[in-house]
Amino acid sequence: LSLGPRELRAALFLPSWQQAGGGPLPVLMDPYGGPALRKVTAAPGWASYVSQWFAEQGFAVLTVDGRGTPGRGPAWEREIYLDIAGPVLADQVDGLHQAARLYPALDLSRVGIRGWSFGGFLAVLAVLRRPDVFHAAVAGAPVTDQRLYDTHWRERHLGHPDEHPEAYDRCSPVLEAASLRRPLLLIHGLTDDNVIPAHTLRLSAALLAAGRPHEVLPLPQATHRPVSEAATANLLLHELGFLRRALGLPQPVAG
């Protein structure tokens, strides 16, 4: 798909059993959205299979590659210099609304978002800043304090923290914790050496101090991703259950 004036590259995954003109579907945004990685590609990868799996559970799953993602030239990638939050989130919202115009089956009253790493940061940001659009979020290994992340990678996009402290502050969700109004599930591997667990711990502490209910799922022995097939499969089921509860969707009948 090409969505809106920015021609945002997007992919929409629908249930294979959905009939043409069928009833409304809750929406699950499933982005990465950050530098150096595209999820919308011609060749399907592991991420697209996961998106389709969520679609088979009854969601319309939308993936949008917005400003800052690779493959559209240096100017597109530089759009997020000194702000890796605002433009990225705006493109997710624009993509969602443009897709809903093309596909009326998308139910904008039930919109969840899930993501990992930069996508986790984006999911947290979505429910903090746009609770009018996003009604629940699952955030895996999110970067919540930009000063804690990889120096080489972060200074490439936000500059030096001594020279641009405001850039680091406006892109750190931990400082916006009191804004949470929607259900949020935080997931983090306890041996993550890429996005260290302190990111989720700091956000959880800030949410608790602000009196904002949320859920935290620690993953023992997991690094930046779960290491076993069984853990990955059961984690997806856990995410699905959370999203169904948070969006008021029926749970499957056991047996």
Side-chain angles (χ1 to χ4, degrees):
L1 299 177
S2 178
L3 300 175
R6 294 194 190 97
E7 298 181 338
L8 299 168
R9 293 173 179 171
L12 180 63
F13 302 83
L14 298 172
S16 61
W17 42 262
Q18 176 81 348
Q19 300 294 319
L25 292 170
V27 183
L28 178 61
M29 300 291 288
D30 194 13
Y32 178 75
L37 192 151
R38 288 179 292 170
K39 289 192 75 173
V40 181
T41 59
W46 181 85
S48 64
Y49 296 131
V50 172
S51 294
Q52 187 61 53
W53 181 83
F54 275 101
E56 297 301 328
Q57 314 311 311
F59 291 89
V61 181
L62 181 64
T63 298
V64 176
D65 284 347
R67 282 171 285 178
T69 56
R72 295 189 59 174
W76 181 263
E77 295 187 42
R78 291 194 190 104
E79 287 278 345
I80 63 169
Y81 182 61
L82 298 182
D83 188 357
I84 61 172
V88 175
L89 180 58
D91 284 350
Q92 296 298 315
V93 174
D94 289 348
L96 172 64
H97 289 158
Q98 293 292 338
R101 292 188 183 98
L102 296 174
Y103 297 91
L106 273 61
D107 181 359
L108 296 188
S109 71
R110 298 179 295 174
V111 179
I113 183 170
R114 68 179 295 271
W116 206 273
S117 198
F118 191 98
F121 156 75
L122 183 50
V124 170
L125 201 68
V127 286
L128 289 177
R129 294 190 181 180
R130 296 303 306 268
D132 57 318
V133 176
F134 300 97
H135 307 102
V138 175
V143 175
T144 67
D145 183 341
Q146 302 299 336
R147 290 177 176 83
L148 288 180
Y149 195 57
D150 186 293
T151 302
H152 164 74
W153 193 242
R154 196 46 73 233
E155 290 183 12
R156 178 183 296 184
H157 303 104
L158 295 181
H160 195 283
D162 291 341
E163 298 172 2
H164 301 283
E166 75 290 345
Y168 284 75
D169 288 343
R170 69 168 160 256
C171 298
S172 294
V174 70
L175 300 178
E176 304 177 39
S179 300
L180 185 66
R181 298 292 186 278
R182 297 294 191 183
L184 171 62
L185 170 62
L186 300 169
I187 306 169
H188 219 118
L190 296 183
T191 59
D192 193 334
D193 58 356
N194 180 359
V195 181
I196 59 175
H199 285 277
T200 284
L201 296 177
R202 285 193 180 187
L203 178 58
S204 180
L207 290 168
L208 187 61
R212 301 301 179 210
H214 61 288
E215 297 183 24
V216 179
L217 177 63
L219 303 178
Q221 300 180 338
T223 56
H224 196 50
R225 287 278 187 179
V227 293
S228 74
E229 183 176 331
T232 299
N234 286 313
L235 181 58
L236 290 174
L237 291 171
H238 188 87
E239 292 182 45
L240 176 63
F242 172 83
L243 289 166
R244 281 177 166 158
R245 292 193 305 274
L247 297 175
L249 304 175
Q251 298 287 342
V253 178

